[in-house]
């Protein structure tokens, strides 16, 4: 297979983990005879520095021409001035919008030997296998923003079709699993959530009558993610709730650094990024955990290139590497035994069992 991949390293630890992802993909390509071509482009803070634009037009055109996009992370203290008109995050949000990737898939799986890296008791972590589907191109992130000296507002708006299409994706993904869908909203307070709940209830009754559905308020969902995480199968929710709940859910897996994500829509190009941020505190030290990025490569192989065997190999390699005891600094108390990003990546590549 020939595939063109746009690589957007971004800021902070982004370039370090993006290199890991690229190396894993290149190794898979070499073994299976796939021809992966990479086009590296600027996004976020590094794009502001080089082009005075967090999402330069060259980046947009390269992404649109590609089969898939890999993104490291954006943001950092250098561009954090609260009064700045342009911010790195605008690059990422703009890219999600232009690629129309409205469905963000964030799987949370627990590798058994990491249970001591999680702040939760081991017995709570057994049998966790959940998938969070976060609506990614609507809601408060994209509504009109206003600011005066004395007040500020962010409009949260959802259209019926935006809710229907994300619920369909979530229900179809649930069907291939335990067929249990939990829709999270704040319908006791927010009008957008009342629309969300109505549309969800109707659509599921009409199109997915056999799906086991639960509606939870976001505050309760946040609690149950800690008190009974193994009860969840697929969680679907709006943009901001999904952002918050997936950071929370990452603690079940032991570290933010473990979680991958795939963002897809109705068009060809998918966007693949770990859920973690640019981690400025450890940037440049070469100690970032590459697992979230490499897991995102597995999702890219599966969702954008339809290469299930290759995807599974990458996931198994991550699993086996961790089970064999390899740890980056975020996963262990024994800091003197922690592996660097490059060493961890190499171990995962060595564990690809062709
Ligand atoms: C994420 C991140 C982004 C978001 C930031 C960097 C804009 O937190 O992908 O979860 O809020 O969507
Ligand atoms: Mg986030």
């Amino acid at each position: 297979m020939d595939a063109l991949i746009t690589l957007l390293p971004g800021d902070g630890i982004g370039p370090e983990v993006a290199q890991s992802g690229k190396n894993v993909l290149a190794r898979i390509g070499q073994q299976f005879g796939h021809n992966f071509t990479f086009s590296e482009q600027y996004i976020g803070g590094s794009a502001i520095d080089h082009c005075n634009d967090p999402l330069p037009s060259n980046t947009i055109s390269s992404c649109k021409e590609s089969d898939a996009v890999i993104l490291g992370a954006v943001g950092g203290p250098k561009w954090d001035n609260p009064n700045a008109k342009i911010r790195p995050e605008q690059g990422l949000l703009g890219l999600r919008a232009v690629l129309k990737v409205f469905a963000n898939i964030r799987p949370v799986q627990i590798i058994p030997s990491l249970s001591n890296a999680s702040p939760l008791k081991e017995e709570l972590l057994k049998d966790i296998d959940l998938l969070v589907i976060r609506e990614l191109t609507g809601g408060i992130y994209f509504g009109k923003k206003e600011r005066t000296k004395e007040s500020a507002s962010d409009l949260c708006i959802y259209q019926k079709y935006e809710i229907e299409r994300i619920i369909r994706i979530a229900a179809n993904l649930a069907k291939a699993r335990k067929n249990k869908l939990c829709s999270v909203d704040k319908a006791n307070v927010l009008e957008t959530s009342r629309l969300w709940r109505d549309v969800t209830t109707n659509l599921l009754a009409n199109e997915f009558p056999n799906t086991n559905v639960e509606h939870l308020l976001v505050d309760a969902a946040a609690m149950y993610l800690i008190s009974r995480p193994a009860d969840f199968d697929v969680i679907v929710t709006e943009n901001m709730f999904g952002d918050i709940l997936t950071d929370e859910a990452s603690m079940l897996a032991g570290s933010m650094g473990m979680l991958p994500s795939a963002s897809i829509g109705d068009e060809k190009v998918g966007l693949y990024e770990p859920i973690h941020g640019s981690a400025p505190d450890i940037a440049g030290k070469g100690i970032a955990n590459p697992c979230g990025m490499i897991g995102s490569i597995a999702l890219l192989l599966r969702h954008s290139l339809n290469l299930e065997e290759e995807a599974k190999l990458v996931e198994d390699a991550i699993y086996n590497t961790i089970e064999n005891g390899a740890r980056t600094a975020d996963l262990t108390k024994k800091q003197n035994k922690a592996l660097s990003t490059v060493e961890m990546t190499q171990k995962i590549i060595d564990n690809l069992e062709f």
Side-chain angles (χ1 to χ4, degrees):
M1 160 182 291
D2 286 353
L4 176 63
I5 314 285
T6 295
L7 190 70
L8 305 175
D11 311 318
I13 60 169
E16 299 163 48
V17 296
Q19 186 62 44
S20 301
K22 183 180 176 187
N23 290 353
V24 170
L25 205 48
R27 180 71 190 93
I28 289 282
Q30 189 188 25
Q31 184 67 26
F32 286 85
H34 303 310
N35 193 5
F36 297 139
T37 309
F38 295 91
S39 157
E40 196 168 319
Q41 304 288 339
Y42 292 119
I43 194 165
S46 61
I48 295 175
D49 289 351
H50 284 92
C51 325
N52 204 27
D53 180 352
L55 186 60
S57 55
N58 282 349
T59 300
I60 297 180
S61 49
S62 174
C63 290
K64 282 188 165 170
E65 281 159 23
S66 296
D67 295 286
V69 178
I70 300 172
L71 186 135
V74 297
K78 183 174 175 196
W79 308 278
D80 244 353
N81 174 0
N83 295 317
K85 286 247 155 24
I86 48 175
R87 292 187 54 94
E89 291 78 8
Q90 290 162 350
L92 175 56
L93 300 184
L95 183 66
R96 290 171 178 170
V98 293
L99 296 179
K100 302 193 176 105
V101 285
F102 61 84
N104 182 220
I105 302 172
R106 298 187 162 184
V108 184
Q109 275 152 352
I110 313 301
I111 302 182
S113 70
L114 277 188
S115 57
N116 59 358
S118 169
L120 260 69
K121 292 197 194 90
E122 205 167 332
E123 69 249 33
L124 282 172
L125 298 171
K126 261 194 259 126
D127 305 321
I128 292 178
D129 178 7
L130 67 97
L131 195 59
V132 182
I133 314 299
R134 167 186 177 194
E135 199 292 323
L136 202 61
T137 54
I140 200 165
Y141 273 60
F142 290 91
K144 189 163 184 231
K145 298 179 186 308
E146 277 178 336
R147 173 82 181 266
T148 68
K149 273 207 171 123
E150 301 298 326
S151 73
S153 66
D154 298 274
L155 179 67
C156 183
I157 177 161
Y158 266 109
Q159 307 291 336
K160 185 175 173 202
Y161 79 89
E162 294 178 297
I163 303 170
E164 286 177 337
R165 65 186 181 181
I166 190 81
I167 299 298
R168 261 188 209 111
I169 289 203
N172 275 317
L173 286 166
K175 234 173 159 179
R177 299 164 49 101
K178 293 182 208 136
N179 211 10
K180 239 172 110 175
L181 186 61
C182 173
S183 171
V184 174
D185 60 39
K186 185 72 185 172
N188 54 346
V189 176
L190 301 177
E191 212 49 62
T192 40
S193 280
R194 286 192 270 272
L195 178 71
W196 180 282
R197 198 175 282 213
D198 280 353
V199 170
T200 300
T201 305
N202 286 334
L203 184 137
L204 293 173
N206 291 332
E207 297 180 24
F208 299 88
N210 299 324
T211 299
N212 173 350
V213 193
E214 175 184 32
H215 297 271
L216 282 183
L217 298 175
V218 63
D219 45 355
M223 175 175 65
Y224 294 141
L225 261 178
I226 301 296
S227 63
R228 54 171 181 88
D231 285 355
F232 290 103
D233 179 23
V234 177
I235 296 176
V236 61
T237 190
E238 61 99 77
N239 204 342
M240 187 156 76
F241 298 159
D243 178 46
I244 298 169
L245 291 179
T246 48
D247 269 30
E248 185 189 4
S250 75
M251 285 296 101
L252 307 169
S255 165
M256 277 276 274
M258 293 303 296
L259 258 62
S261 92
S263 303
I264 56 172
D266 292 331
E267 300 187 9
K268 180 185 87 157
V269 190
L271 170 64
Y272 299 86
E273 45 175 325
I275 83 151
H276 63 68
S278 60
D281 52 326
I282 59 162
K285 295 188 179 162
I287 59 169
N289 183 349
C291 290
M293 169 54 85
I294 297 172
S296 305
I297 297 298
L299 297 178
L300 181 160
L301 290 162
R302 174 174 299 125
H303 293 286
S304 278
L305 306 183
N306 217 356
L307 297 172
E308 179 56 34
E309 184 190 347
E310 288 85 335
K312 190 78 179 54
L313 266 182
V314 173
E315 285 168 347
D316 288 349
I318 298 171
Y319 186 97
N320 292 330
T321 304
I322 297 276
E323 284 295 86
N324 291 342
R327 296 288 183 272
T328 40
D330 54 320
L331 299 173
T332 178
K333 292 203 177 73
K334 298 181 194 142
Q335 291 296 309
N336 56 339
K337 296 228 174 91
L339 300 181
S340 69
T341 309
V342 169
E343 289 165 336
M344 188 69 163
T345 305
Q346 194 52 50
K347 278 217 181 322
I348 293 172
I349 290 175
D350 293 342
N351 279 329
L352 286 166
E353 287 173 10
F354 299 117

